[in-house]
């Protein structure tokens, strides 16, 4: 379950959105909203926690109201999706349920005639199992390849990549 709140035309102060998130939290709902520049620092922090990389340049370049959505749970940034111009998209979420919320919002926005894909690395078995339960079918998965020093990363937070070279 999710609630999609539009922030493009009628500006809703963030405090009001956080109050909405707090009030619907007991229902198990999240709030998914269009990206605003104020969301970027939290997205960069969450992305670094998930990937172990500094992708702030890519996120800052690609994130915009037409290409990014953010999810809040209990008033806290729970995840985001940022679509790249070539069609890939970074989807990062604190929990499997947060990812499911973002992916469901993408499905609703795409409509029944369009295909929605997400890319899960092999190390995200919990994510793959949850999405199979939701009716997603596996097309393919791949390992994350790292050259150089090992990264401290959390594969269970990754549900989509910009592309195979950027993660």
């Amino acid at each position: 379950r999710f609630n999609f709140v539009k922030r493009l035309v009628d500006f809703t102060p963030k405090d009001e959105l956080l109050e909405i998130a707090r009030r619907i939290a007991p229902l198990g709902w999240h709030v998914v909203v269009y990206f605003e520049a104020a969301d970027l620092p939290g997205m960069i922090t969450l992305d670094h926690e998930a990937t172990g990389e500094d992708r702030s340049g890519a996120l800052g370049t690609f994130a915009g109201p037409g290409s990014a959505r953010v999810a809040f749970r209990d008033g806290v940034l729970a995840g985001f999706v940022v679509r790249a111009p070539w069609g890939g998209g970074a989807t990062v979420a604190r929990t499997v349920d947060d990812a499911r919320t973002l992916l469901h919002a993408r499905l609703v926005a795409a409509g029944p005639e369009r295909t929605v894909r997400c890319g899960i690395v092999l190390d995200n078995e919990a994510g793959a199992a949850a999405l199979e339960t939701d009716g997603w079918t596996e097309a393919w998965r791949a390992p994350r390849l790292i050259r150089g020093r090992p990264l401290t990363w959390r594969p269970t937070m990754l549900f989509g990549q910009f592309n195979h070279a950027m993660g």
Side-chain angles (χ1 to χ4, degrees), residues 120-134:
I120 298 180
V121 294
L122 285 173
D123 294 314
N124 191 352
E125 292 297 328
L131 293 181
E132 279 186 30
T133 299
D134 291 348

Side-chain angles (χ1 to χ4, degrees), residues 8 34-37 43 59-69 81-83:
L8 291 179
Y34 288 93
F35 165 83
E36 289 184 347
M43 292 166 59
L59 291 171
T61 299
F62 300 138
S67 63
R69 303 291 181 270
V81 58
V82 176
R83 305 284 297 163

Side-chain angles (χ1 to χ4, degrees), residues 10 19 25 31-33 36 53 56 66 78 82 87 103 107 110-112 118 122 137 144 148-149 152 154 158 161:
D10 295 327
E19 175 60 17
V31 174
V32 177
V33 295
E36 289 184 347
E53 300 173 281
S56 58
V82 176
L103 293 170
L107 285 167
C118 69
L122 285 173
T137 56
R144 181 178 189 194
R149 290 182 318 199
T152 301
R154 297 183 55 196
L158 299 176
Q161 296 82 41

Side-chain angles (χ1 to χ4, degrees), residues 2-148:
F2 73 100
N3 188 4
F4 197 69
V5 179
K6 188 172 182 177
R7 292 196 294 188
L8 291 179
V9 178
D10 295 327
F11 177 77
T12 302
K14 191 131 200 179
D15 290 344
E16 287 184 37
L17 293 173
L18 295 177
E19 175 60 17
I20 292 169
R22 185 193 66 72
R23 290 169 64 193
I24 65 174
L27 301 172
W29 292 11
H30 294 63
V31 174
V32 177
V33 295
Y34 288 93
F35 165 83
E36 289 184 347
D39 299 321
L40 188 58
M43 292 166 59
I44 290 170
T45 299
L46 184 62
D47 188 74
H48 186 267
E49 181 182 342
T51 67
E53 300 173 281
D54 177 3
R55 300 192 312 175
S56 58
L59 291 171
T61 299
F62 300 138
S67 63
R69 303 291 181 270
V70 291
F72 290 89
R73 180 176 28 88
D74 299 328
V76 176
L77 179 72
F80 65 86
V81 58
V82 176
R83 305 284 297 163
W86 55 82
T91 305
V92 177
R94 292 189 188 282
T95 69
V96 171
D97 284 339
D98 298 333
R100 290 164 114 171
T101 295
L102 285 162
L103 293 170
H104 185 73
R106 283 188 57 209
L107 285 167
V108 169
E113 60 282 338
R114 294 192 53 209
T115 300
V116 174
R117 293 185 175 97
C118 69
I120 298 180
V121 294
L122 285 173
D123 294 314
N124 191 352
E125 292 297 328
L131 293 181
E132 279 186 30
T133 299
D134 291 348
W136 292 74
T137 56
E138 183 173 322
W140 63 274
R141 284 194 287 163
R144 181 178 189 194
L145 302 176
I146 299 172
R147 185 172 182 213

